């Protein structure tokens, strides 16, 4: 283990990595956010680089790296970066602070949040799953081609119970 200084006092909220198969080079993105600062970092063996500028004042909570060209962040919306800047994705659940974003492709993205929020982007529009109980507060998600798992808790932060949901895509 080796400590790497980030240069920020904001709390790290999420990170995700990607390995470019042609170059065997890993890329790891991390989001750090506090009321006064939000940063998007690239982590590497040489250190931490503040590479993906985030000029907005909104706090972020999640980051998803699909490939070395496409990355996504979540917070009071979902933004996509393909290297030429950040663009907000329309149609995502707008009433929630979106905690996590994960996916397997640009046409298979999920976001999760508190109050039972789970939404899927299939390439054209977002679908929010209204059958999930609103007392479930999701913190993280994992996605494969035909499976999505979200974890979190029910009730309050200190008095709640663990919650897990699993969704399978029918073939």
């Amino acid at each position: 283990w080796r400590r790497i200084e980030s240069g920020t006092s904001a709390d790290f909220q999420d990170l995700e990595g990607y390995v470019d198969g042609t170059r065997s080079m890993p890329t790891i993105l991390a989001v750090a956010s506090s009321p006064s600062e939000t940063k998007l970092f690239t982590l590497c063996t040489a250190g931490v680089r503040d590479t993906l500028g985030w000029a907005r004042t909104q706090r972020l909570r999640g980051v998803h790296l699909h490939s070395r060209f496409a990355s996504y962040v979540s917070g009071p919306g979902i933004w996509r970066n393909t290297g030429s800047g950040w663009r907000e994705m329309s149609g995502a659940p707008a009433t929630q602070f979106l905690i996590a974003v994960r996916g397997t492709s640009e046409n298979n993205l999920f976001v999760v949040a508190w109050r039972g929020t789970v939404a899927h982007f299939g390439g054209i529009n977002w679908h929010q799953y209204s059958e999930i109980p609103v007392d479930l507060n999701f913190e993280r998600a994992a996605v494969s081609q035909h499976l999505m798992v979200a974890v979190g808790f029910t009730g309050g932060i200190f008095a709640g119970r663990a919650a897990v949901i699993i969704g399978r895509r029918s073939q």
Side-chain angles (χ1 to χ4, degrees):
W1 294 100
R2 184 171 69 91
R3 180 181 175 140
I4 301 172
E5 291 297 329
S6 66
T8 182
S9 60
D11 294 332
F12 278 86
Q13 301 293 327
D14 195 13
L15 75 147
E16 188 172 44
Y18 169 80
V19 176
D20 183 343
T22 59
R23 299 181 316 171
S24 296
M25 295 293 297
T27 300
I28 301 170
L29 292 183
V31 61
S33 192
S34 70
S36 61
E37 179 181 40
T38 296
K39 296 271 189 183
L40 293 164
F41 293 105
T42 299
L43 308 176
C44 59
T45 55
V48 177
R49 292 176 293 162
D50 185 3
T51 54
L52 296 173
W54 186 256
R56 294 168 180 81
T57 57
Q58 296 107 337
R59 292 182 71 180
L60 298 176
R61 186 70 187 275
V63 62
H64 171 62
L65 180 61
H66 169 64
S67 71
R68 67 183 178 139
F69 299 111
S71 52
Y72 303 84
V73 292
S74 63
I78 297 290
W79 286 268
R80 181 176 189 265
N81 187 331
T82 58
S84 59
W86 291 100
R87 192 167 266 169
E88 188 168 8
M89 295 179 73
S90 62
T95 59
Q96 292 288 324
F97 186 85
L98 301 170
I99 303 293
V101 55
R102 288 293 189 265
T104 60
S105 72
E106 297 174 16
N107 297 329
N108 189 30
L109 287 175
F110 283 88
V111 293
V112 297
W114 287 21
R115 301 200 35 79
T117 300
V118 175
H120 177 256
F121 181 73
I124 297 173
N125 54 30
W126 288 90
H127 170 75
Q128 190 165 344
Y129 296 92
S130 59
E131 65 271 19
I132 297 172
V134 296
D135 68 332
L136 299 178
N137 298 311
F138 299 114
E139 290 285 327
R140 291 288 162 247
V143 178
S144 70
Q145 287 295 72
H146 301 286
L147 185 71
M148 192 283 294
V149 178
V151 297
F153 59 92
T154 64
I157 294 174
F158 300 110
R161 297 171 57 151
V164 177
I165 65 161
I166 298 174
R168 288 182 173 78
R169 182 188 309 188
S170 58
Q171 297 178 354

